[in-house]
Amino acid sequence: MNLLRRIAKRLWTRIRPGRLRWEVEEEMSFHLEQRTEEYRRSGLDTPAARRRAQERFGSLSGYRSRVLQVHHVSPAGGQGANLMESILQDIRFAVRTLLRRPLFTVLCLITLALGIGANSAIFSVIQAVLLAPLPHKNSESLAVLWQFDRHNQTSKEAISVPDLFDFRERSSSIAHLMAFRSRQFTLTGLEDPERVLVGEVTTGSLVETGFPPMRGREFEAREGEPNGPLAALLRRSFAQRRFGSMEDAVGRSVTLNGVDYQVVGVLPEDTVFPSDQVQIWIPLQVAPRSAPRGNHSILALARLAPGVELKQANEEIASIAAQLEEEFPDDNAGRGAFLSPLRQEVVGDYSLTLWVLMAAVGVVLLIACANVANLMLTRAAARGREVGIRRALGAGRLRLARQFLTESLVLAGAAALLGLGLAWVGIRLLLQLAPSGIPRLQHTTVDPWVLGFTLLISALTGLLFGLAPALQSTRRHAASALRQGGRSDAGSSSSPRLRRVLVVGEVALALMLVTSAGLLLRSFLQLQDVDPGFQAERLLKADIQLPAARYPQDRASFPNWTEVHQFYARLLEGLERLPEAESFAFGVNHPMAGGWTTRFQVDGRPAPPASEQTEATVRPVSPNYFRTAGIQIKRGRAFSEEDRSDGKPVMILNESMARRLFADEDPLGQRVVMWGMAREVVGIAADVRFNGLDRQGRIAMYLPLSQIPLAGGSILIRTSADPQQVASALKAIVHDIDPQLPVFEITLLEDLIWSSLAQPRFNALLLSIFAVTALLLAVVGIFGVLSQSVALRRREMGVRMALGARPGDLMRSVVGQGLGLTAAGVVLGIVGAWLAGRFISGMLFQVSALDPVTFVSVPLILMAAALLACFLPARRAARSDPLETLRCE
């Protein structure tokens, strides 16, 4: 403890050497006074007593020096030991200086805090989403194995079970190849029926990815074999909600789709494999031949072998895919495979968006720095007399520069504190506005990394806007500064030039940012105007899934699934009694769902070679589907009640498929073979953008639900009544048919479309906010420079007016100066906007990166804003009194 106290005291004396010197002086004065008093009481008068006391006391300076040296403090307050004291003095002086000019200080603080706060808020999102390590064990060696189809031009497809085992057996670059998929299951038996997301994973995957059970055990090998024991693992919160505690959950059972699974363990809450939305995990029971090779239904995650690079592994994977293509041409012709890093798959889709936003707030901060630098230059010019006096008293340039930089850093530090508060508020707003699909966004917070980033950019900001004024002030000669100090034109000749350069830079950066925001805004508007191919207004969607345990779905008896047919018949009968339903139908997929694809062949034509075979989207629907969804039948007819399971096989093609197959023929009456059965084309439907408004509709064929009775899908109801009321009535109808069957994901198609636009809307909104901020800061910068210019040219203007210049001439001069600066910035900004447009071209929809509307309108808007900024300084110049001006000068 004594050692700690000595260290603390040593540090304190280093930080506060002035206080130590004061204490030493006070103590020596005390002893000197005591000795003087003793001599005075002995009869000496006061002067004699003081002289005698000083003689007895000895050298005061010697005592002072020795005491201070003990504490390693220079008695004279030298440059080395007093550096800390000197810095503290600079800081105190900077604070006093800033407090004497509250308006200037507040303006600078607000400007800088906006820039720093915006940067800290966006960086906190980037830190949480892009930079923080994934929670998986050794995530850098994990990669997703994708297949692709060169014939169908797909870039990423799930893998088939036989292909999974072949890759696992033949690859030496992969140490562990795991398979998984996530599906919605109906949970019954505990409380009300509930839809839960279930993750099916191969045995050992959870431990391999770093998520071992916190209670119980992982799946055993026998549980991953077809027809093996049925086991389940629960997420901790799910186990606590359903069973009260984790201990009570282990050993119990859960019923999924009518089948019981024994709970063998509980997983931690932060388990993210295969998804953080999964509530229950069950083993994926697969064998090399348990599913057709053409059925691509599972995803694969690979752990690279130690020392193997991704490039090396991809070369081997491509080689194996070529082998499979040759060995199994019927199913693998045109199929390749590749590995993609797990991090890229998790956050890659949002990387460009977030870095664009980071660049945008960086531009805002640069503009803010330019504005504050302008204010600091103006203020430095006004402090010319002060600088001259200090130079005359012996202050060196370095000492003055340090003082000016200290003021900048103090200002930046205060702005950083304010900016952190703004960042905290901004993060909450971002979390409210951001699309729900951004991974790990919920972990966004002001953590030590964000604090460090804020500290760094604050220091850089302080140096950036403080360096120019510091150098500008110290270049001034003492004599000239004293001569000019009392006049309005106290700045050097280069100071106004530097301020004009800063304004040109501000305008260029603002134009670049506003143009980028304009491109994204026009892209979003284009996306909103896209015709989805159906009428989403007042169209309600609700999903159901029939469990195989109660609704047998034996492949051998397809399509005669009696229980499934009966359920659909009773459901449609119940909907007929729903008064709020203007129209209703059932489809395996609603109009905004992509669905699955299959191969086909035109009847009577030779089968195309494997390299030319393509797949079409398959959409089984009930008879009233097209009317309810508002999908136009272009030719032929829609399905009717006559299209029964025992009737003539029929289908309806969408326009794209009809054009592709029968460009020179009438498609009606033609026959297309699918799943070994030829179907007659009875109608042509309009194209629908199944996978989103920004994607072209794929070729598709609609089939009668009675002939393709799949076990789940979407109920569509067109209604003008309250959606909540209709949803409640629909649940009651389904409950009357099957009390154990939940109805889930009930929503309006309008809301679904609006949700699909969340990402582009978020991008356009945030970038627009930053662009408007940049535009305002640039306009303020123009206004500030022109105001200062008018003040500096007051004498010139007075002389010109005395010689006969009219107020209009002066106004044109000031406005011309402002527009000239703006025009220079616009020229530079257009070049920057062109580069920025190329960078964000991947985020645009039906808008060119060189969109002429945006590239013409934005400069005009900026010039108009600059004209407004010029008006007040110009009017002040025009109203100046020449006699008063010359008298003041």
Side-chain angles (χ1 to χ4, degrees):
M1 292 299 293
N2 291 333
L3 177 62
L4 291 177
R5 278 198 293 271
R6 285 200 300 272
I7 294 174
K9 187 174 181 180
R10 178 74 53 89
L11 290 174
W12 179 248
T13 56
R14 286 279 186 177
I15 297 173
R16 300 293 306 273
R19 181 172 180 81
L20 178 62
R21 282 193 292 273
W22 176 80
E23 290 175 351
V24 171
E25 294 288 348
E26 187 180 43
E27 186 168 350
M28 287 193 301
S29 298
F30 171 77
H31 291 296
L32 190 61
E33 288 297 327
Q34 290 292 318
R35 185 59 58 85
T36 301
E37 183 62 25
E38 289 178 8
Y39 286 124
R40 195 162 47 235
R41 284 199 295 269
S42 66
L44 295 178
D45 57 8
T46 300
R50 183 171 295 278
R51 282 196 303 275
R52 178 67 64 84
Q54 286 179 341
E55 290 172 0
R56 289 290 305 276
F57 204 84
S59 172
L60 291 176
S61 61
Y63 289 132
R64 184 186 302 117
S65 177
R66 283 196 292 274
V67 170
L68 293 178
Q69 283 174 357
V70 168
H71 293 278
H72 302 273
V73 175
S74 172
Q79 193 172 16
N82 284 333
L83 178 60
M84 185 64 73
E85 174 68 12
S86 179
I87 292 174
L88 290 175
Q89 286 178 353
D90 285 350
I91 293 175
R92 288 193 292 269
F93 181 78
V95 171
R96 288 197 301 271
T97 304
L98 292 173
L99 290 178
R100 281 200 295 269
R101 295 170 177 79
L103 181 59
F104 165 84
T105 305
V106 169
L107 282 176
C108 292
L109 281 179
I110 292 176
T111 304
L112 291 173
L114 282 174
I116 293 174
N119 276 267
S120 298
I122 296 298
F123 178 78
S124 65
V125 176
I126 289 179
Q127 164 62 21
V129 176
L130 300 182
L131 303 182
L134 297 178
H136 307 71
K137 182 178 71 176
N138 299 329
S139 61
E140 297 307 317
S141 64
L142 290 173
V144 177
L145 176 59
W146 291 107
Q147 288 189 309
F148 58 90
D149 190 335
R150 291 189 293 274
H151 301 153
N152 285 313
Q153 299 180 342
T154 59
S155 57
K156 287 182 178 178
E157 283 191 9
I159 194 170
S160 68
V161 172
D163 286 348
L164 170 78
F165 281 91
D166 286 334
F167 278 112
R168 183 183 287 176
E169 180 183 351
R170 302 183 189 189
S171 174
S172 59
S173 301
I174 297 176
H176 197 108
L177 185 58
M178 302 157 274
F180 64 95
R181 65 186 171 195
S182 301
R183 292 192 295 164
Q184 294 279 352
F185 279 64
T186 301
L187 176 69
T188 55
L190 296 173
E191 296 173 358
D192 293 335
E194 177 184 352
R195 293 293 292 179
V196 293
L197 187 62
V198 175
E200 296 179 80
V201 298
T202 48
T203 57
S205 299
L206 291 165
V207 173
E208 181 62 30
T209 52
F211 305 105
M214 56 192 305
R215 290 286 189 280
R217 61 171 174 82
E218 231 266 45
F219 299 127
E220 296 176 348
R222 61 192 179 96
E223 293 167 343
E225 299 172 355
N227 302 317
L230 299 178
L233 289 163
L234 309 182
R235 188 178 290 277
R236 186 183 65 180
S237 59
F238 181 86
Q240 292 173 335
R241 178 167 63 84
R242 280 288 186 167
F243 297 100
S245 69
M246 294 184 289
E247 290 75 12
D248 291 338
V250 178
R252 302 280 292 276
S253 65
V254 291
T255 305
L256 299 172
N257 285 354
V259 179
D260 290 339
Y261 291 77
Q262 184 182 13
V263 178
V264 297
V266 177
L267 288 170
E269 194 63 27
D270 60 355
T271 303
V272 298
F273 176 74
S275 159
D276 60 356
Q277 302 298 313
V278 168
Q279 301 297 314
I280 301 175
W281 287 257
I282 61 177
L284 182 63
Q285 297 183 328
V286 290
R289 300 292 176 265
S290 62
R293 190 174 291 274
N295 184 359
H296 294 253
S297 59
I298 58 174
L299 298 171
L301 181 66
R303 167 83 68 191
L304 300 185
V308 175
E309 297 293 332
L310 184 66
K311 181 180 179 183
Q312 177 186 351
N314 262 326
E315 290 174 353
E316 185 191 52
I317 289 297
S319 173
I320 296 174
Q323 296 171 18
L324 296 177
E325 189 175 357
E326 186 176 345
E327 293 173 18
F328 307 101
D330 290 341
D331 294 311
N332 283 49
R335 291 197 181 278
F338 67 98
L339 291 165
S340 176
L342 180 61
R343 173 177 288 277
Q344 174 67 25
E345 294 300 321
V346 173
V347 301
D349 291 343
Y350 302 95
S351 177
L352 176 61
T353 298
L354 292 179
W355 286 120
V356 166
L357 292 177
M358 192 73 230
V361 293
V363 168
V364 172
L365 183 59
L366 283 176
I367 296 175
C369 286
N371 256 359
V372 175
N374 257 329
L375 291 173
M376 297 287 283
L377 282 169
T378 303
R379 185 164 165 271
R383 294 172 65 182
R385 186 176 182 81
E386 171 197 334
V387 172
I389 293 173
R390 297 181 68 177
R391 290 290 306 275
L393 293 176
R397 289 184 175 181
L398 185 61
R399 182 68 183 83
L400 287 173
R402 198 181 79 188
Q403 177 58 50
F404 275 90
L405 281 178
T406 302
E407 292 179 17
S408 303
L409 292 173
V410 167
L411 201 56
L417 292 176
L418 188 58
L420 277 176
L422 293 176
W424 186 84
V425 175
I427 289 171
R428 266 110 197 108
L429 289 176
L430 281 174
L431 294 180
Q432 294 291 327
L433 295 174
S436 58
I438 298 180
R440 306 196 296 169
L441 184 67
Q442 69 276 15
H443 301 307
T444 302
T445 185
V446 180
D447 60 10
W449 285 103
V450 177
L451 291 175
F453 174 79
T454 303
L455 184 64
L456 177 64
I457 62 169
S458 302
L460 293 176
T461 299
L463 292 174
L464 192 61
F465 72 77
L467 192 59
L471 295 177
Q472 193 71 38
S473 299
T474 55
R475 286 175 182 169
R476 194 169 298 141
H477 193 272
S480 63
L482 288 172
R483 282 196 303 272
Q484 297 177 355
R487 299 172 56 178
S488 59
D489 190 1
S492 68
S493 60
S494 60
S495 178
R497 187 164 57 247
L498 181 56
R499 288 197 287 271
R500 289 194 290 271
V501 170
L502 288 173
V503 165
V504 170
E506 283 184 61
V507 173
L509 290 172
L511 185 133
M512 188 173 69
L513 190 51
V514 175
T515 303
S516 301
L519 290 174
L520 287 181
L521 195 59
R522 275 187 47 78
S523 173
F524 174 65
L525 295 176
Q526 289 285 100
L527 205 52
Q528 274 193 312
D529 291 339
V530 168
D531 179 9
F534 65 97
Q535 297 176 6
E537 298 78 16
R538 303 182 292 108
L539 188 58
L540 186 72
K541 184 269 301 180
D543 291 347
I544 58 171
Q545 186 70 37
L546 304 180
R550 297 200 301 279
Y551 300 90
Q553 299 153 24
D554 186 4
R555 288 180 179 272
S557 59
F558 182 83
N560 299 314
W561 292 349
T562 305
E563 289 79 4
V564 175
H565 282 297
Q566 289 175 348
F567 174 84
Y568 289 141
R570 294 184 62 186
L571 173 65
L572 296 177
E573 289 174 5
L575 291 173
E576 286 180 354
R577 298 192 298 271
L578 189 63
E580 296 87 354
E582 298 175 7
S583 178
F584 58 84
F586 187 85
V588 172
N589 304 105
H590 64 78
M592 287 289 288
W596 41 275
T597 62
T598 190
R599 293 185 176 180
F600 59 89
Q601 177 186 347
V602 177
D603 191 28
R605 295 182 185 175
S611 59
E612 297 179 6
Q613 288 185 352
T614 57
E615 294 188 350
T617 300
V618 180
R619 307 182 77 80
V621 298
S622 69
N624 209 25
Y625 181 86
F626 295 99
R627 174 171 170 260
T628 303
I631 300 174
Q632 189 177 1
I633 296 294
K634 298 288 186 178
R635 294 188 60 199
R637 65 171 178 87
F639 296 134
S640 69
E641 299 297 337
E642 302 301 321
D643 298 316
R644 297 186 299 270
S645 59
D646 57 350
K648 181 174 63 176
V650 294
M651 65 166 49
I652 294 174
L653 306 182
N654 71 354
E655 286 184 295
S656 295
M657 188 164 180
R659 281 195 302 270
R660 183 165 181 169
L661 297 185
F662 308 104
D664 301 324
E665 303 174 68
D666 185 356
L668 297 181
Q670 301 283 350
R671 292 162 62 87
V672 177
V673 179
M674 188 200 94
W675 296 352
M677 177 180 288
R679 295 180 174 275
E680 181 181 334
V681 178
V682 297
I684 307 298
D687 287 344
V688 175
R689 293 178 181 261
F690 306 125
N691 295 311
L693 297 181
D694 58 343
R695 300 182 184 180
Q696 291 291 335
R698 297 191 58 179
I699 59 173
M701 42 192 177
Y702 295 88
L703 309 172
L705 184 66
S706 56
Q707 297 178 0
I708 307 290
L710 298 183
S714 298
I715 303 168
L716 298 179
I717 300 175
R718 187 169 295 282
T719 179
S720 56
D722 178 15
Q724 295 293 336
Q725 181 183 351
V726 176
S728 300
L730 174 61
K731 287 181 179 178
I733 291 172
V734 174
H735 186 269
D736 287 343
I737 302 172
D738 185 347
Q740 296 296 309
L741 193 67
V743 181
F744 54 97
E745 295 189 9
I746 303 173
T747 182
L748 288 168
L749 267 294
E750 292 173 285
D751 296 338
L752 213 56
I753 290 179
W754 185 248
S755 299
S756 72
L757 299 175
Q759 183 66 49
R761 185 171 60 247
F762 176 72
N763 299 343
L765 175 64
L766 277 194
L767 213 59
S768 297
I769 292 174
F770 298 143
V772 170
T773 305
L775 181 62
L776 290 176
L777 288 175
V779 169
V780 169
I782 295 170
F783 173 79
V785 165
L786 290 183
S787 297
Q788 181 66 14
S789 175
V790 169
L792 295 176
R793 295 173 60 193
R794 192 166 56 173
R795 179 182 175 84
E796 171 206 333
M797 291 180 179
V799 172
R800 289 179 61 183
M801 291 193 73
L803 295 176
R806 293 172 298 181
D809 297 332
L810 298 183
M811 283 193 72
R812 280 192 292 275
S813 172
V814 174
V815 171
Q817 182 187 4
L819 292 183
L821 295 175
T822 306
V826 165
V827 172
L828 292 177
I830 287 177
V831 177
W834 174 70
L835 294 174
R838 293 171 62 87
F839 183 64
I840 64 171
S841 58
M843 301 166 64
L844 302 179
F845 174 76
Q846 294 185 353
V847 173
S848 166
L850 291 173
D851 178 49
V853 175
T854 306
F855 273 75
V856 170
S857 58
V858 170
L860 290 178
I861 292 173
L862 203 58
M863 292 296 288
L867 188 61
L868 287 176
C870 297
F871 176 72
L872 286 180
R875 191 178 67 168
R876 193 173 64 182
R879 290 183 174 181
S880 59
D881 185 341
L883 294 178
E884 182 181 350
T885 301
L886 293 174
R887 190 182 304 120
C888 292
E889 292 293 321

